[in-house]
Amino acid sequence: MALTKEVKKALVEKFARFPGDTGSPEVQVAILTHEINELNDHLQAHIHDFHSKRGLFMKIGRRRNLLKYLKETDAQRYTALINELGLRR
């Protein structure tokens, strides 16, 4: 369930704006989306895991704030990111 180094490196390389970029909103949202999807799968099988559910809600809130920031600063990057990640269907 934890994010492995290989998966994180692949996400960083895919969503980085320039080489060595690990902190841009796009990279952070991509990593959070991957973690959210894994927690969703976990909670499907373990319905009463309330501690993980709280962690999921915290990650969703963090992703929502990053997306809001990105939308306010650069709407074009925001649109490209949500299309690539498959958010906001």
Side-chain angles (χ1 to χ4, degrees):
M1 189 158 94
L3 189 65
T4 63
K5 286 184 180 181
E6 293 81 21
V7 172
K8 188 172 183 177
K9 184 177 179 183
L11 287 170
V12 168
E13 288 175 359
K14 183 176 181 182
F15 290 96
R17 297 180 58 210
F18 52 86
D21 175 28
T22 58
S24 68
E26 290 92 339
V27 173
Q28 292 182 52
V29 168
I31 291 171
L32 282 169
T33 300
H34 181 75
E35 291 174 345
I36 288 168
N37 291 338
E38 283 188 348
L39 273 173
N40 257 340
D41 294 341
H42 171 78
L43 288 172
Q44 293 294 322
H46 304 92
I47 297 168
H48 296 290
D49 188 354
F50 299 112
H51 292 87
S52 293
K53 192 179 231 183
R54 181 176 188 271
L56 173 67
F57 290 149
M58 290 171 60
K59 287 180 189 295
I60 290 171
R62 192 173 312 136
R63 182 178 70 177
R64 182 182 304 130
N65 289 339
L66 285 167
L67 286 171
K68 181 180 172 186
Y69 166 77
L70 190 59
K71 186 176 184 179
E72 290 172 357
T73 56
D74 193 345
Q76 190 174 19
R77 283 172 38 204
Y78 167 80
T79 305
L81 180 64
I82 62 169
N83 288 335
E84 181 137 5
L85 291 174
L87 302 175
R88 312 255 195 266
R89 294 181 185 110

